[in-house]
Amino acid sequence: MTGRGEPRITSPAVEGEPPPKPGRWRRLAPVLALFVLAPWAAECSWGGFVVTDYPLVLIFLSPLYGGAALLVREAARRTGGGWPAMVLLAAAFGVVQAGLVDQSLFNTGFLDDTEFADFDAAAAQTRVPVLGFSVGQAFDYVGNHVVLSVCAPIAVVESFVSPYRRHRPWLRWPDLLVVGALYLAGSLLIFADSEDGRKGFVLAPAQLVFAVLVVLALVAAALLPRHERR
């Protein structure tokens, strides 16, 4: 019993302990949510597909977009880089996707069979000689991947988890290997589809080297050790 004037004693160990570990399904719920939200945000949220096509988009593009969003988040959270690292890694994914996978960044005829074919005239005004890509289109393609494909889905899903888990990794190493394999499979599926994926385009050596160097620079900027990290 404790008298009215006596201080209330609380165990510091109990106060400092993290909350109980969530069950398997509760642990994987935000992972699955991000896995399916990323492709919807990337390809459907702006009207790219009609509602009846959503199931096919989720089946075929979740490994690509969902896998990338999960890998970007895990890398940023594990290294303590936070949102600056996430944005840089998302930009690296954007360059990989637009520059190396579907190669839309360098393919001047990529939009010819779409409702955006009229954009080619504006893109030509900012086209870089030799490398053959439009600076304007680069901001559009990569910027859309940063915002819609990666960062917005992460922000939405993280807002629904507890504060304790919000800034911590969600995947274990075996999970990371599975997600990485799914992402590679999704990327290869798009790359191998020369009709609807790359649309018959193949990078020139100079374009390939340029894209790889930009990706490496963005990843290095995101993951290099910092002097202080909270």
Side-chain angles (χ1 to χ4, degrees):
M1 296 180 62
T2 307
R4 179 177 296 180
E6 296 179 3
R8 185 177 177 180
I9 300 174
T10 308
S11 170
V14 172
E15 282 187 347
E17 288 179 356
K21 291 184 178 180
R24 178 178 180 81
W25 289 111
R26 188 176 177 186
R27 179 178 69 86
L28 292 178
V31 175
L32 297 174
L34 184 55
F35 192 71
V36 298
L37 180 59
W40 180 86
E43 297 290 349
C44 302
S45 62
W46 51 274
F49 289 88
V50 296
V51 175
T52 54
D53 289 336
Y54 287 1
L56 291 177
V57 171
L58 297 182
I59 290 173
F60 288 103
L61 296 182
S62 286
L64 176 66
Y65 291 112
L70 285 168
L71 293 174
V72 165
R73 186 197 175 277
E74 289 297 303
R77 292 310 184 196
R78 287 174 179 271
T79 58
W83 278 104
M86 260 189 265
V87 170
L88 289 168
L89 290 173
F93 162 70
V95 177
V96 169
Q97 177 63 25
L100 301 175
V101 178
D102 63 34
Q103 303 184 7
S104 56
L105 184 62
F106 300 101
N107 185 357
T108 56
F110 190 81
L111 300 177
D112 287 350
D113 58 347
T114 72
E115 64 270 33
F116 305 109
D118 294 340
F119 291 3
D120 282 341
Q125 297 177 2
T126 60
R127 200 169 304 283
V128 178
V130 181
L131 294 175
F133 73 94
S134 165
V135 174
Q137 282 186 332
F139 276 103
D140 287 341
Y141 292 157
V142 178
N144 283 337
H145 283 306
V146 170
V147 177
L148 293 179
S149 305
V150 178
C151 291
I154 291 174
V156 170
V157 175
E158 283 192 343
S159 68
F160 282 91
V161 301
S162 66
Y164 180 78
R165 297 190 64 203
R166 192 166 297 154
H167 301 140
R168 287 173 169 78
W170 293 342
L171 297 174
R172 298 166 183 170
W173 282 108
D175 303 326
L176 282 172
L177 294 177
V178 172
V179 172
L182 287 173
Y183 168 68
L184 288 177
S187 298
L188 289 174
L189 181 65
I190 300 298
F191 179 82
D193 187 355
S194 61
E195 183 176 349
D196 296 322
R198 289 184 292 111
K199 298 186 177 181
F201 182 82
V202 178
L203 286 175
Q207 294 170 330
L208 174 63
V209 171
F210 174 77
V212 170
L213 290 177
V214 172
V215 170
L216 292 176
L218 289 169
V219 172
L223 301 183
L224 281 178
R226 292 163 173 79
H227 296 294
E228 291 184 7
R229 280 184 176 175
R230 295 184 180 180

